[in-house]
Amino acid sequence: QVQLVESGGGLVQAGGSLRLSCAASGSIFSINTMGWYRQAPGKQRELVAGVTSGGTTNYADSVKGRFTISRDNAKNTVTLQMNSLKPEDTAVYYCNLKYGYRPVYDYWGQGTQVTVSS
């Protein structure tokens, strides 16, 4: 079993910055992808950014140039640095870890609220 514990988040004014962190523990396969998703009220959960254990990253178009994802494989942690935040970034942010192929093992954190005021 895998547990994901998130920290960070909160309330910030538009243009400000926040940093989210997530620590994974348990039986973690070394080859995996960690990432952050978000869900705003009335909207579907969407991928914000992901990073593989090999260091390959991908970002949603809406956050490119503003958010940076990084990870520490030795500590099984992933961090999302969010700069130039906008009100439309307001959402609950979820840490995710997945690995495998048929089946895919998919784990989620409890979520942390990010609110950006205008």
Side-chain angles (χ1 to χ4, degrees), residues 68-106:
T68 302
I69 191 169
S70 60
R71 66 182 289 167
D72 184 329
N73 288 337
K75 297 181 179 179
N76 289 319
T77 58
V78 63
T79 299
L80 184 69
Q81 178 66 42
M82 305 185 291
N83 298 328
S84 302
L85 282 160
K86 304 175 181 180
E88 50 264 44
D89 294 317
T90 296
V92 178
Y93 284 69
Y94 296 91
C95 179
N96 174 264
L97 183 150
K98 58 171 59 73
Y99 63 86
Y101 179 73
R102 293 185 180 179
V104 174
Y105 295 89
D106 208 7

Side-chain angles (χ1 to χ4, degrees), residues 6-112:
E6 300 146 343
S7 59
L11 173 64
V12 66
Q13 288 188 333
S17 299
L18 282 174
R19 186 181 183 91
L20 304 181
S21 296
C22 174
S25 61
S27 300
I28 302 169
F29 189 62
S30 60
I31 301 174
N32 59 67
T33 298
M34 297 187 76
W36 291 92
Y37 289 70
R38 66 187 180 188
Q39 187 166 20
K43 295 187 177 181
Q44 289 189 331
R45 190 173 297 189
E46 62 175 0
L47 174 68
V48 177
V51 56
T52 69
S53 47
T56 300
T57 59
N58 65 298
Y59 296 90
D61 287 343
S62 60
V63 307
K64 284 180 180 177
R66 301 187 297 123
F67 291 10
T68 302
I69 191 169
S70 60
R71 66 182 289 167
D72 184 329
N73 288 337
K75 297 181 179 179
N76 289 319
T77 58
V78 63
T79 299
L80 184 69
Q81 178 66 42
M82 305 185 291
N83 298 328
S84 302
L85 282 160
K86 304 175 181 180
E88 50 264 44
D89 294 317
T90 296
V92 178
Y93 284 69
Y94 296 91
C95 179
N96 174 264
L97 183 150
K98 58 171 59 73
Y99 63 86
Y101 179 73
R102 293 185 180 179
V104 174
Y105 295 89
D106 208 7
Y107 299 94
W108 295 92
Q110 77 281 4
T112 185

